[in-house]
């Protein structure tokens, strides 16, 4: 989740809840206790800091590990996590991502992790366990075409999608314990610009991509066969390049973070696609939206 230009993530790891912010000045990750009253005390910084500016962050499904992507080698850092906050940094992957890390995701089962990054193969995936990074999976036979910016596993963990620079701007694969399967066919109607973020609906029956250029958001039915026919664009489109996209936990709303006021735009969502745009917030974000997330 990104608010005000920095990625933010809520996670557990015990009775105490935390909000974690990835940012571009040392210590690059900052965690705060979180409750219904808002921010609590800041947790101690990690003993071993990420090497530079952090871009993406994700908790494992159990909330007992936290991963972040960053600018310099090793491009990804992961820590054990508990109600006390950051634990010991895990050893780096034996085979590192090949360039700046932009996004990270854990599979729903918590047995794999994937990193979208700046240099070919643009997506790197690893086994994951309580011991940390496992062996890197073989690269996909057909790579994304350019810089990987966003990555997501489907809710069932049987597919993985990457949002990236240059057409087709989103690339998806079957996923299993063996790694990447044969690339799904591209959507018949591509997103019209750089893919920045990708999200599956909670039911796994739709996939959406936030991208540059009008209409800034592209959404498709999704099945075991891949992309279906693109949904009609929203009647009222976001007024700037799309940077982040998320479905609500029930899958009945969708939101896009974007350039250009109001910086966030939301719609009802159904199997028919976009509904009528919700009214803008009474108090807008103060700058360009970088990412967006609904609370569970």
């Amino acid at each position: 989740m990104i608010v005000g230009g920095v990625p933010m993530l809520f996670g557990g790891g015990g009775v105490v809840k935390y909000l974690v912010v990835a940012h571009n000045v040392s210590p690059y990750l900052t965690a705060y206790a979180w409750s219904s009253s808002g921010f609590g005390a800041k947790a101690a910084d990690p003993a071993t800091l990420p090497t530079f500016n952090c871009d993406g962050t994700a908790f494992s499904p159990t909330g007992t590990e936290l991963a972040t992507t960053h600018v310099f080698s090793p491009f990804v850092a992961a820590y054990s996590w508990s109600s006390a906050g950051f634990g010991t940094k895990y050893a780096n992957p034996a085979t590192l991502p090949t360039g700046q890390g932009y996004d990270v995701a854990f599979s729903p089962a918590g047995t794999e992790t994937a990193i979208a990054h700046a240099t070919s193969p643009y997506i790197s995936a690893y086994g994951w366990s309580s011991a940390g990074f496992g062996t890197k999976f073989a690269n996909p036979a057909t790579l994304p075409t350019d810089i990987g910016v966003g990555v997501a596993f489907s809710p069932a963990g049987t597919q993985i999608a990457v949002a990236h620079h240059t057409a087709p701007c989103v690339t998806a694969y079957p996923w299993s314990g063996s790694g990447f399967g044969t690339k799904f066919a591209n959507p018949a109607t591509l997103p019209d610009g750089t893919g920045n973020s990708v999200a599956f609906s909670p039911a796994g029956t739709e996939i959406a991509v936030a991208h540059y250029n009008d209409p800034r958001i592209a959404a498709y039915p999704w099945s075991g066969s891949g992309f279906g026919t693109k949904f009609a664009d929203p009647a009222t489109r976001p007024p700037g390049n799309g940077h982040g996209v998320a479905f609500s936990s029930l899958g009945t709303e969708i939101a896009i973070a974007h350039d250009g006021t109001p910086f966030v735009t939301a719609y009802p969502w159904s199997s028919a696609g976009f509904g009528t745009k919700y009214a803008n917030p009474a108090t807008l974000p103060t700058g360009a939206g970088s990412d967006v997330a609904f609370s569970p």
Side-chain angles (χ1 to χ4, degrees):
M1 172 182 177
I2 303 180
V3 175
V6 289
M8 305 174 69
L9 186 67
F10 292 90
V15 174
V16 179
K17 297 291 184 182
Y18 284 89
L19 183 151
V20 177
V21 184
H23 50 87
N24 63 0
V25 177
S26 182
Y28 310 116
L29 283 175
T30 301
Y32 303 90
W34 183 263
S35 72
S36 57
S37 299
F39 292 96
K42 177 183 176 294
D45 296 333
T48 304
L49 299 183
T51 55
F52 201 53
N53 300 359
C54 288
D55 286 312
T57 186
F59 280 100
S60 65
T62 58
T64 52
E65 296 95 15
L66 174 73
T68 187
T69 53
H70 49 78
V71 172
F72 291 155
S73 181
F75 308 116
V76 63
Y79 302 86
S80 60
W81 186 269
S82 72
S83 59
F86 295 99
T88 303
K89 179 181 177 292
Y90 288 100
N92 297 331
T95 304
L96 299 182
T98 53
Q100 177 177 345
Y102 283 101
D103 198 14
V104 59
F106 287 92
S107 65
T111 51
E112 297 94 14
T113 187
I115 296 98
H117 53 82
T119 307
S120 180
Y122 309 116
I123 180 72
S124 295
Y126 304 86
W128 180 265
S129 72
S130 59
F133 293 98
T135 303
K136 180 180 180 291
F137 288 97
N139 296 332
T142 304
L143 301 182
T145 54
D146 205 343
I147 296 170
V149 186
V151 60
F153 287 93
S154 66
T158 51
Q159 295 99 17
I160 186 171
V162 187
H164 54 82
H165 290 197
T166 74
C169 304
V170 61
T171 299
Y173 307 88
W175 180 264
S176 70
S178 300
F180 297 96
T182 301
K183 176 184 174 292
F184 288 104
N186 296 333
T189 304
L190 301 182
D192 189 25
T194 295
N196 288 314
S197 179
V198 60
F200 290 92
S201 66
T205 51
E206 294 95 12
I207 187 171
V209 183
H211 59 83
Y212 282 4
N213 303 335
D214 185 67
R216 284 104 182 195
I217 179 70
Y220 307 86
W222 180 262
S223 71
S225 300
F227 297 95
T229 301
K230 181 177 177 287
F231 288 102
D233 298 330
T236 304
R237 301 172 183 179
N241 291 331
H243 290 280
V245 60
F247 289 92
S248 66
S249 59
L250 294 178
T252 51
E253 296 88 16
I254 187 171
I256 300 95
H258 52 80
D259 298 341
T261 186
F263 308 120
V264 62
T265 299
Y267 308 87
W269 180 263
S270 71
S271 58
F274 296 96
T276 301
K277 176 185 173 293
Y278 288 106
N280 296 334
T283 303
L284 301 182
T286 54
S290 299
D291 204 359
V292 63
F294 289 90
S295 62

